[in-house]
Amino acid sequence: MTVTVARVFPLGRTPAEEQTETVIAKFQTPRGTLVVVDDHARFREAVGERLAAAGWRIVGEAATGAAAIDLVTRLAPDVVLLDVVLPDMDGFAVADRLAAAGSPSAVVLTSGHERSDFAGRVRAAPVRGFLPKERISGPALATLLAGDQP
């Protein structure tokens, strides 16, 4: 078991606004590879830093659905963290296209909205689950991927 001490930075804050706290996180093994898909560069950067500190290896980022499909097809990451709202298509359409192409990557949808805002679409989509943006962390992602999310 690896023990990691990490500084946590709230998402969406500028460096002058950042407040930090120190947390101790325990992880069994490195998490694997991950692609972050969101149309906001600062969000991709912050989430990438947070998940890299939790043991994930960030292998790519995309700002659009089309770019995500191309990137995931080429890199075959273990996990795709996919925003529901993208400029060219929604995350549900991206997940459908990845599944139709036979992608082995686990897709996790995310949004600034709560899961309930998408009713049954999350359950019907070819995804592993949904994490609200403000709850994204290494432990929360690991819990969801382990199947421990309702």
Side-chain angles (χ1 to χ4, degrees), residues 14-36:
T14 65
E17 297 174 314
E18 288 181 335
Q19 299 174 1
T20 64
E21 62 184 69
T22 302
V23 297
I24 298 175
K26 297 178 182 178
F27 301 110
Q28 296 296 331
T29 58
R31 300 292 184 207
T33 57
L34 184 117
V35 165
V36 179

Side-chain angles (χ1 to χ4, degrees), residues 36 45 64 66 150:
V36 179
E45 178 184 343
T64 66

Side-chain angles (χ1 to χ4, degrees), residues 92 111-124 127-132 135 144 149-150:
F92 296 101
S111 176
H113 301 277
E114 289 296 317
R115 178 188 176 116
S116 60
D117 292 347
F118 304 107
R121 291 187 75 191
V122 172
R123 282 187 302 278
V127 300
R128 291 293 291 275
F130 177 90
L131 275 177
R135 293 189 188 152
L144 184 148
Q149 182 192 34

